[in-house]
Structures are given as structure tokens and as C-alpha cells.
């Protein structure tokens, strides 16, 4: 019996998206993620101009967009390299032509080490951030066996309390152990100040505290005879304050698209185009997108996104396929069949739910941006 070849969900989705090219947004099939090309270009150029003016290298974190098209554009504008979290993402951007890749996540497991060695063998200048010896030890074996090389950064915990050594002395101790491994070289330190949010009035003071620990660790590395010329860090909320710190490699990611957490609606390049499918329940309308489209990421002000052009609309709740928009504060309310544009709370999580997004210019679909890194959690 011959096997029936059933298209995958990704294949069906991309085919449907390609059929939208040339249509005005008001005619596209929803729900669908959209990227405004002019806003995207402005976001990319603004940060590249900033780092260029301050002698900082930009290593954008591609976990936000997971798109070779956008990653290549970041490199064209002057990014020194691209940052990824997982080895699968590294493979995507190696295949897209990135000359330098920073894996800012401790890789553990033989399969991951061998894939990273394959990437180094392709000619990519590979850097990996670790906070202990174990992930680097396995990577070093895989590289050494094939005559390859990579650089290492020792990660510091500067307040998020996720990964990273918590003291300068701890980072030095790890770096000294790493220095004994073959095929790898400690090149500096890294951090992620993800605990510093844009709505926090203490953001500037918090960043000064981060910088103090970075400088202490840099000086301790120097005193111990360790390299500390690469200091990788930063975030989207702190990106335009990077020059006030000792960070010389900025890994901002969300800046490319922005979202409700990190940008005003008129700067956000990403939104989800949705359709009102019901107004049967008083004081609300329901749209055709829920947690499988937006993610369930929260926001300090509550809700799950910002409804562009409808101040007072409250995107209050999500089910898997339904979004509940409170409209009691509106004088004029959306009607069934009407399109709305909703900026998600978190761009990174939203993009990871979509195999492709519609690239729009002047309200018309220009092409489809493929999210080739989507779902690569290994």
C-alpha cells in the first residue's frame, strides 16, 4: 500500500501566506502575523547607528525574529555577528551566511556538541557562553577531535537569577578551569540584565549595579591573566544606555520588532491581524486568535496585547483560539467581520508560533518572511 503524502501544517501555512501577496491588509485571511517593513528598517537602522557612534559591536539576538531574511539585513547594516540560544537556530543562521555566531546558552549533550562543531567546520567564527565547565568540556572534545576552535564567554548573573556565576571570583574560577581545555579560548564575559524592565523607575540605578559587577569581573580577569576584551550584554530596554557601561558587544533582540512590553504602538513593526468573529456577549467582541497565535505572556498592566487605533479597548483574555476584547469604554465599537491589529505582549514568543509572516509596506502585502528558526528548541 502506498503512503499518502499529507502536507505538513508548515507547508499548508506557507502556501496560504503566499496567496496573500499583493493583497491589501483589509483583504488578507486572518489571523496572521504581520511585519511592517518600514518600521522594521527604522528599528534596525536606529540601533545600528547608535552602536556605530559609540564604538560598540551589535550582536542581535535572533530569538526574536528567527528569520534568515531579517538576520541577513542586520548583518548588511553592520552587525558584527548574530546571537542564538539553541544549536538548531545556529544551524539556520550558519546556512543563511552569518560569519560569526554567538550561542548564548550552555549546550549540553553529544548531539549538540557535534552540531556546533559542524558549524565551526563550515568556517563560522563560533562563540559559546557558559557558566560552568561541563558544557564547554564536551564541546572542546568535539572541536579538538576535528582540529577546530571556538571562543568562550563566562556568563555572569547580574540580577535575573537564571544562569551565570554570581560573583567575580566565581567567574574567574570557571574561566581558569576552562583555560585548561583544548580547542577553546576564554575571550571575556557576558550577562543579560533581563530583570531591568522599561517601566521600572530604578532602571538606571539597576544598570549601574550591573556595570559595577561587570567592571569588577573584567578587572579580576585581567589580574588573573585572563582575556576580558569581549564584554557581551545589554537588552532592548537598556539598549540606548549601553555606552554608559563597559559592555562592548550589545545583544539586543526585541529591538528589531518591538512589542507591547518594549515599545510604543507606532514603533512596533510586528502585530497580529485579526477579525472580529462575535459580539454576542455584551461589552466585548471576540477575535479569531488566542494563545496559539499570541502566546500567553503577561504584561505589567494586564491583558495580552495592545489594540492599535482603539484606545480604551482591553484585550483582556485568551483561550487557545479566541481573544476577548473588552469594549465597554468605547463610544464606537468594532463590528463582526472587521479587522483589528493587535501588538502582542512579547514579540519573541509570538514569532515562534508562526512559520511565516506577511511583510507589508504601505498596507499591502509585499512578500512572506519565513521564520526558519521556529520551533528549534534543541
Amino acid at each position: 500500500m502506498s503512503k499518502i503524502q499529507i502536507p505538513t501544517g508548515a507547508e499548508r501555512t506557507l502556501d496560504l501566506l503566499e496567496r496573500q501577496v499583493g493583497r491589501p491588509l483589509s483583504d488578507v485571511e486572518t489571523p496572521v502575523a504581520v511585519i511592517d517593513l518600514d518600521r522594521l528598517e527604522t528599528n534596525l537602522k536606529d540601533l545600528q547607528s547608535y552602536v556605530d557612534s559609540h564604538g560598540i559591536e551589535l550582536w542581535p539576538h535572533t530569538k526574536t525574529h528567527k528569520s534568515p531574511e531579517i538576520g541577513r539585513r542586520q548583518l548588511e547594516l553592520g552587525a558584527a555577528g548574530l546571537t542564538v540560544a539553541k544549536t538548531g537556530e545556529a544551524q539556520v543562521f550558519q546556512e543563511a551566511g552569518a560569519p560569526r555566531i554567538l550561542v548564548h546558552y550552555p549546550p549540553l549533550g553529544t548531539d549538540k556538541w557535534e552540531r556546533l562543531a559542524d558549524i565551526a567546520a563550515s568556517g563560522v567564527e563560533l562563540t559559546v557562553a557558559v557558566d560552568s565547565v561541563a558544557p564547554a568540556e564536551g564541546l572542546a572534545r568535539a572541536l579538538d577531535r576535528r582540529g577546530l576552535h571556538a571562543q568562550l564567554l563566562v556568563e555572569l548573573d547580574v540580577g535575573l537569577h537564571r544562569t551565570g556565576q554570581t560573583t567575580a571570583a566565581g567567574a574567574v574560577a570557571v574561566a581558569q578551569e576552562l583555560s585548561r581545555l583544548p580547542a577553546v579560548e576564554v575571550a571575556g564575559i557576558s550577562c543579560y540584565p533581563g530583570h531591568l524592565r522599561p517601566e521600572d523607575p530604578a532602571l538606571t540605578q539597576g544598570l549601574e549595579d550591573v556595570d559595577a559587577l561587570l567592571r569588577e569581573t573584567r578587572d579580576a580577569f585581567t589580574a588573573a591573566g585572563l582575556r576580558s576584551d569581549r564584554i557581551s550584554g545589554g537588552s532592548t530596554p537598556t539598549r540606548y544606555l549601553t555606552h554608559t557601561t563597559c559592555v562592548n558587544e550589545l545583544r539586543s533582540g526585541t529591538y528589531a520588532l518591538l512589542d507591547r512590553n518594549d515599545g510604543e504602538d507606532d514603533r512596533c513593526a510586528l502585530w497580529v491581524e485579526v477579525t472580529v468573529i462575535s459580539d454576542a456577549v455584551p461589552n466585548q467582541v471576540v477575535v479569531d486568535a488566542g494563545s496559539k497565535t499570541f502566546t500567553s505572556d503577561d504584561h505589567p498592566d494586564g491583558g495580552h496585547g495592545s489594540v492599535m487605533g482603539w484606545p480604551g479597548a482591553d484585550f483582556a483574555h485568551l483561550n487557545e483560539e479566541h481573544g476577548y476584547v473588552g469594549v465597554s469604554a468605547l463610544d464606537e465599537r468594532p463590528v463582526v467581520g472587521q479587522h483589528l491589529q493587535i501588538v502582542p505582549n512579547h514579540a519573541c514568543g509570538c514569532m515562534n508560533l508562526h512559520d511565516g509572516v506577511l511583510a507589508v509596506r504601505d498596507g499591502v502585502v509585499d512578500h512572506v518572511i519565513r521564520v526558519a528558526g521556529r520551533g528549534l528548541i534543541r
Side-chain angles (χ1 to χ4, degrees), residues 11 120 137 143 228 234 241:
E11 290 168 337
E137 205 166 32
L143 293 169
S228 59
L241 295 171

Side-chain angles (χ1 to χ4, degrees), residues 145-163:
R145 187 168 58 248
R146 299 166 63 172
L148 301 170
H149 177 266
Q151 292 191 355
L152 301 176
L153 302 177
V154 178
E155 186 181 3
L156 284 168
D157 171 20
V158 294
L160 187 59
H161 306 319
R162 186 172 65 184
T163 54

Side-chain angles (χ1 to χ4, degrees), residues 11-297:
E11 290 168 337
R12 293 180 188 275
T13 295
L14 291 169
D15 178 63
L16 288 171
L17 292 178
E18 290 293 347
R19 298 182 195 181
Q20 314 302 310
V21 174
R23 294 184 182 181
L25 265 181
S26 57
D27 289 347
V28 301
E29 184 177 2
T30 67
V32 64
V34 172
I35 289 178
D36 183 284
L37 292 171
D38 292 330
R39 291 185 181 187
L40 170 66
E41 187 75 359
T42 296
N43 292 342
L44 298 184
K45 285 183 174 179
D46 283 355
L47 190 58
Q48 189 64 53
S49 176
Y50 165 78
V51 296
D52 288 346
S53 68
H54 291 285
I56 300 166
E57 289 191 349
L58 184 59
W59 289 70
H61 206 314
T62 60
K63 71 180 179 68
T64 295
H65 55 72
K66 292 177 173 277
S67 162
E69 176 182 330
I70 298 176
R72 283 194 292 265
R73 184 57 181 152
Q74 289 170 317
L75 291 167
E76 289 169 358
L77 289 171
L82 298 178
T83 302
V84 301
K86 300 299 182 73
T87 55
E89 294 171 337
Q91 288 176 294
V92 167
F93 289 99
Q94 175 261 316
E95 292 166 1
R100 287 170 292 278
I101 293 176
L102 166 57
V103 181
H104 205 272
Y105 196 97
L108 279 165
T110 300
D111 292 336
K112 294 179 176 63
W113 297 327
E114 292 297 335
R115 290 203 301 274
L116 289 174
D118 288 340
I119 290 168
S122 74
V124 168
E125 294 178 25
L126 179 66
T127 303
V128 180
V130 298
D131 66 0
S132 67
V133 175
E137 205 166 32
L139 176 62
R141 286 195 301 268
L143 293 169
D144 190 46
R145 187 168 58 248
R146 299 166 63 172
L148 301 170
H149 177 266
Q151 292 191 355
L152 301 176
L153 302 177
V154 178
E155 186 181 3
L156 284 168
D157 171 20
V158 294
L160 187 59
H161 306 319
R162 186 172 65 184
T163 54
Q165 287 291 314
T166 58
T167 64
V172 168
V174 169
Q176 288 172 328
E177 290 187 71
L178 295 173
S179 297
R180 302 185 184 103
L181 299 176
V184 291
E185 179 185 12
V186 175
I189 57 180
S190 72
C191 74
Y192 173 55
H195 61 299
L196 300 178
R197 303 305 306 158
E199 67 277 2
D200 186 354
L203 183 147
T204 302
Q205 179 59 56
L207 189 60
E208 290 177 4
D209 295 339
V210 169
D211 189 45
L213 179 56
L214 289 174
R215 290 177 186 272
E216 178 189 358
T217 306
R218 177 198 62 189
D219 294 346
F221 269 47
T222 301
L226 298 164
R227 274 185 62 185
S228 59
D229 47 287
R230 294 182 62 180
I231 304 178
S232 171
S235 65
T236 291
T238 64
R239 65 195 184 280
Y240 289 120
L241 295 171
T242 306
H243 68 283
T244 68
T245 73
C246 64
V247 168
N248 56 27
E249 296 181 3
L250 173 59
R251 296 195 322 276
S252 180
T254 308
Y255 85 95
L257 303 178
L258 296 177
D259 53 26
R260 186 179 174 218
N261 278 318
D262 286 315
E264 300 298 326
D265 282 358
D266 61 358
R267 295 290 307 276
C268 291
L270 172 70
W271 66 81
V272 177
E273 192 84 9
V274 300
T275 300
V276 176
I277 59 168
S278 175
D279 63 359
V281 176
N283 296 319
Q284 76 173 27
V285 299
V286 176
V287 299
D288 58 351
S291 62
K292 290 181 178 178
T293 303
F294 286 96
T295 81
S296 301
D297 295 89

Side-chain angles (χ1 to χ4, degrees), residues 324-360:
Y324 300 70
V325 181
V327 296
S328 59
L330 302 180
D331 295 328
E332 181 182 354
R333 301 179 180 186
V335 298
V336 172
Q338 185 170 352
H339 278 206
L340 299 177
Q341 298 172 339
I342 302 180
V343 174
N345 283 352
H346 187 200
C348 308
C350 181
M351 286 291 288
N352 191 52
L353 295 174
H354 299 271
D355 295 295
V357 301
L358 299 182
V360 171

Side-chain angles (χ1 to χ4, degrees), residues 301-315:
D301 295 333
H304 295 279
S306 174
V307 186
M308 293 198 293
W310 292 85
D314 179 17
F315 190 34

